């Protein structure tokens, strides 16, 4: 239908039937706003009718749509490690549309990966100007140290990122980043609760990798996550009796006291800096002597928590011990681990097991 309308519009344009061609292309761009060629032809029909302002507006629209497509190709190249070609795509996108949000956002990411902090900041600041309602740019500006760090990543930033990432997550994490967090939390839980418990909670369950690794250790599994796309994947594992979409702290606050035997949190506290309220809630929902196993990225000992340039938080061991103790969680073990890699280098991490003492 769209191809038919397009060719009909082209025939009308060639025949000089400009009003009819305009109507055909207008219908097409209304139905398919991402159709670059239709926008270009629509602009041509307007130009040939001498309608300058409308021609400029339609050409801008064509450029903006084309810039988004090119930026998408750049995103694919960046994801697969071809940074030079990715950068060329983003620059090309910006030459077509200087306000292309995705190109600025991804150039911010690319430059920050190459320690070009000032260039990264320029692009993130431009994102803020173009889309002041988005929380991601301000978050990344803070991550680059140019503003105070928030206590946690904004919900919509996390959701948008993991909704986009969901389809690639399992393969990328396990095959490219050698991610072993799910097995490590499952082994830690197995070490202190070898027999099946009644009810376990998977905090920031993502696609369900940790639930799958630990499925035999609890009769009932509940998963909590912000990202609907990640939850859809978790649902397809068949591990979880219940999946709750929402922020961890908000969801925990709604759970009854002493209703959970074990809680796991694999690679989720990299999106939360201040952990005091969260640990207090985990402790409250655990049964006495219930177990809490979690992973963290390791900060230097003097640091409580900090937001890093990667956009992820890391925590100091002394801080974790203190926050746990304040929450009534006794520590069974805290050990240095490697859970995954970043740019080919192991990321220093901690695997911690706590138990509710009070
Ligand atoms: C790196 S993934 C880890 C997923 C899973 N635990 C695993 O090990 O494969 C982090 C997950 O935490 C979720 N997340 C981050 N912050 C959250 C929050 N405040 N509340 C709920 N989920 C959150 C993200 O949506 C994402 O699915």
């Amino acid at each position: 239908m769209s191809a038919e309308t397009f060719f009909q519009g082209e025939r009308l344009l060639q025949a000089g039937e400009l009003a009819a061609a305009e109507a055909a292309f207008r219908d097409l761009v209304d139905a398919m706003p991402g159709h670059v060629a239709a926008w270009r032809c629509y602009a041509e029909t307007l130009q040939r009718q001498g309608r300058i302002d409308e021609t400029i507006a339609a050409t801008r629209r064509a450029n903006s749509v084309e810039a988004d497509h090119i930026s998408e190709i750049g995103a694919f190249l960046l994801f697969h490690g071809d940074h030079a070609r990715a950068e060329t795509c983003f620059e090309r996108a910006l030459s077509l549309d200087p306000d292309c949000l995705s190109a600025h956002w991804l150039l911010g990411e690319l430059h920050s990966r190459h320690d070009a902090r000032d260039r990264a900041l320029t692009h993130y600041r431009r994102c803020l100007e173009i889309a002041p309602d988005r929380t991601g740019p301000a978050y990344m500006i803070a991550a680059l140290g140019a503003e105070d760090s928030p206590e946690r990543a904004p919900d919509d930033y996390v959701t948008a990122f993991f909704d986009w990432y969901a389809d690639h997550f399992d393969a990328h994490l396990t095959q490219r980043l050698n991610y072993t967090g799910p097995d490590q939390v499952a082994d830690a839980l197995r070490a202190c609760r070898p027999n099946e418990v009644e009810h376990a909670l998977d905090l920031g369950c993502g696609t369900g990798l940790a639930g799958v690794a630990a499925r035999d250790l609890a009769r009932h599994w509940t998963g909590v996550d912000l990202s609907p796309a990640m939850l859809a994947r978790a649902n397809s594992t068949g591990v979880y009796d219940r999946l709750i979409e929402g922020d961890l702290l908000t969801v925990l606050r709604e759970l009854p006291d002493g209703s959970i035997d074990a809680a796991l949190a694999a690679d989720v506290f990299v999106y939360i800096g201040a952990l005091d309220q969260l640990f207090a809630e985990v402790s409250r929902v655990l049964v006495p002597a219930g177990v809490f196993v979690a992973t963290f990225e390791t900060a230097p000992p003097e640091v409580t928590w900090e937001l890093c340039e990667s956009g992820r938080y890391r925590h100091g061991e002394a801080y974790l011990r203190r926050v746990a103790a304040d929450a009534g969680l006794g520590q069974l073990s805290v050990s240095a681990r490697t859970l995954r890699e970043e740019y080919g280098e192991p990321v220093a991490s901690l695997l911690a097991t706590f138990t509710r003492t009070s």
Side-chain angles (χ1 to χ4, degrees):
M1 175 63 175
S2 63
E4 204 179 292
T5 312
F6 185 81
F7 291 127
Q8 185 200 0
E10 272 201 320
R11 277 193 299 276
L12 291 164
L13 192 58
Q14 275 164 18
E17 294 184 41
L18 298 179
E22 178 189 337
F25 289 124
R26 182 74 246 179
D27 283 350
L28 199 50
V29 295
D30 284 347
M32 302 180 69
H35 196 316
V36 181
W39 277 109
R40 298 244 177 264
C41 290
Y42 179 57
E44 190 182 336
T45 62
L46 297 168
Q47 185 193 8
R48 284 175 58 180
Q49 294 174 84
R51 288 155 55 189
I52 305 304
D53 290 348
E54 287 166 276
T55 306
I56 291 170
T59 302
R60 281 215 175 113
R61 199 57 204 276
N63 287 347
S64 145
V65 169
E66 189 165 350
D68 283 341
H69 287 324
I70 294 172
S71 182
E72 243 173 65
I73 297 167
F76 177 84
L77 292 167
L78 180 62
F79 187 68
H80 290 283
D82 190 343
H83 292 191
R85 283 194 177 81
E87 185 172 2
T88 305
C89 286
F90 301 139
E91 295 296 354
R92 167 82 185 124
L94 291 182
S95 73
L96 281 163
D97 176 9
D99 289 343
C100 180
L101 185 62
S102 61
H104 281 296
W105 173 254
L106 291 160
L107 276 168
E109 182 179 334
L110 188 144
H111 289 312
S112 88
R113 283 201 205 176
H114 290 273
D115 293 330
R117 180 178 173 274
D118 289 347
R119 294 179 76 186
L121 280 173
T122 302
H123 288 288
Y124 286 133
R125 289 195 171 115
R126 190 76 193 95
C127 289
L128 256 191
E129 287 164 9
I130 297 166
D133 53 324
R134 298 274 180 107
T135 55
Y139 179 66
M140 289 311 300
I141 289 167
L144 289 171
E147 294 290 342
D148 289 345
S149 297
E151 292 198 340
R152 46 173 290 185
D155 287 0
D156 56 347
Y157 162 81
V158 171
T159 305
F161 177 67
F162 282 100
D163 278 354
W164 168 81
Y165 199 12
D167 283 349
H168 318 280
F169 183 85
D170 290 4
H172 190 240
L173 264 281
T174 56
Q175 291 161 27
R176 295 264 307 274
L177 304 184
N178 293 323
Y179 177 51
T180 56
D183 285 336
Q184 296 206 38
V185 290
D187 290 347
L189 178 58
R190 189 171 285 111
C192 52
R193 287 289 179 283
N195 298 323
E196 194 181 51
V197 299
E198 192 59 25
H199 206 141
L201 198 55
D202 186 359
L203 299 167
C205 63
T207 58
L209 292 174
V212 168
R215 74 192 306 163
D216 58 313
L217 298 174
R219 200 183 302 274
H220 299 289
W221 280 94
T222 297
V224 184
D225 204 283
L226 275 170
S227 157
M230 296 292 269
L231 285 169
R233 296 236 153 207
N235 191 35
S236 69
T237 63
V239 168
Y240 301 91
D241 303 285
R242 193 174 170 211
L243 287 164
I244 307 173
E245 183 187 319
D247 161 56
L248 296 182
L249 191 56
T250 314
V251 172
L252 281 165
R253 283 184 173 141
E254 283 163 12
L255 296 179
D257 294 1
S259 55
I260 302 291
D261 299 288
L264 302 184
D267 205 32
V268 58
F269 295 143
V270 292
Y271 295 101
I272 301 174
L275 289 170
D276 43 349
Q277 295 179 52
L278 209 128
F279 274 34
E281 283 304 307
V282 170
S283 176
R284 185 188 61 75
V285 303
L286 282 177
V287 297
V291 180
F292 174 36
V293 183
T295 70
F296 308 87
E297 286 185 11
T298 317
E302 68 281 6
V303 170
T304 52
W305 56 267
E306 67 183 3
L307 177 58
C308 306
E309 291 193 357
S310 58
R312 295 159 64 90
Y313 290 90
R314 55 185 186 168
H315 298 86
E317 193 175 326
Y319 170 75
L320 295 174
R321 291 179 194 276
R322 177 168 61 72
V323 173
D326 289 350
L329 293 167
Q331 153 221 325
L332 293 178
S333 68
V334 179
S335 56
R337 301 289 174 110
T338 297
L339 299 174
R340 65 179 192 95
E341 294 172 2
E342 196 156 279
Y343 316 135
E345 298 293 327
V347 177
S349 305
L350 294 169
L351 176 71
T353 307
F354 304 101
T355 183
R356 185 179 153 186
T357 51
S358 54

